[in-house]
Amino acid sequence: ITFEGDEISGDELLARSGLQVIVDASTGMGITVCQIEGVGCAYPAEHCFCQCMGGGECAYWTYFYRDPGEAEWTYSPLGAVLRKVSPGSVEGWVWGDGQTSPDETLTFEALCTPPTPTPTLQARSEDPTVTPDRPTPVPEAGTAAPTSPQLPTELPVSVPTRTVVPT
């Protein structure tokens, strides 16, 4: 997901992901993610922690992140509203016990391969007789061949940030 500026909040990133997300914003602590793509608790008919009430095993949407260059996932103690996501980060939401992180292979490089720029070459000729229907004449033996314009050595690439939701 691309965005303007140096950072974006985790909840804004999740909102821009295009995933179907249901949240409870009434907690006073930001948002509680109840359901992503149909997985989770059916808020408002159910509490967002519907599978954590009454003891026993507990499952809820846990939030992890992997900042650029980090080898491991980190459980976010702040929640999505307070988390500041920078370009190159990977954010992961896991329906589970809060102990199981996203798959270690889900790195930025694995998920967001930058596009390979395709340079375009625009032919220019100093010879006014060269037109699309009349190509550049072949130089006679012993004369210098025309040179082609220089292509840029670097092209700007926008690197997106992606929200990962393993289930």
Side-chain angles (χ1 to χ4, degrees):
I1 297 171
T2 58
F3 55 86
E4 297 291 322
D6 295 332
E7 59 187 31
I8 188 173
S9 66
D11 67 318
E12 179 65 24
L13 184 74
L14 183 58
R16 291 185 186 187
S17 72
L19 298 170
Q20 181 185 9
V21 180
I22 297 174
V23 301
D24 176 2
S26 69
T27 64
M29 297 180 60
I31 63 165
T32 301
V33 175
C34 307
Q35 198 175 81
I36 300 175
E37 294 290 303
V39 176
C41 299
Y43 179 81
E46 295 179 302
H47 191 279
C48 277
F49 293 101
C50 66
Q51 293 191 11
C52 295
M53 303 172 102
E57 291 187 24
C58 178
Y60 61 100
W61 280 108
T62 56
Y63 182 36
F64 292 84
Y65 63 88
R66 191 179 229 170
D67 284 329
E70 294 293 320
E72 297 178 2
W73 289 97
T74 301
Y75 180 85
S76 179
L78 299 176
V81 172
L82 296 176
R83 165 93 175 123
K84 300 300 180 202
V85 180
S86 60
S89 296
V90 180
E91 310 296 300
W93 290 88
V94 178
W95 177 255
D97 60 7
Q99 304 299 313
T100 306
S101 65
D103 187 307
E104 290 300 318
T105 63
L106 298 174
T107 63
F108 183 83
E109 294 74 20
L111 297 169
C112 301
T113 306
T116 304
T118 306
T120 57
L121 178 63
Q122 294 186 2
R124 282 191 242 169
S125 174
E126 303 301 320
D127 184 348
T129 63
V130 175
T131 62
D133 61 320
R134 245 183 291 157
T136 304
V138 176
E140 295 179 27
T143 62
T147 60
S148 57
Q150 290 290 336
L151 291 177
T153 56
E154 293 184 44
L155 296 176
V157 175
S158 174
V159 180
T161 302
R162 177 180 284 232
T163 300
V164 178
V165 184
T167 55

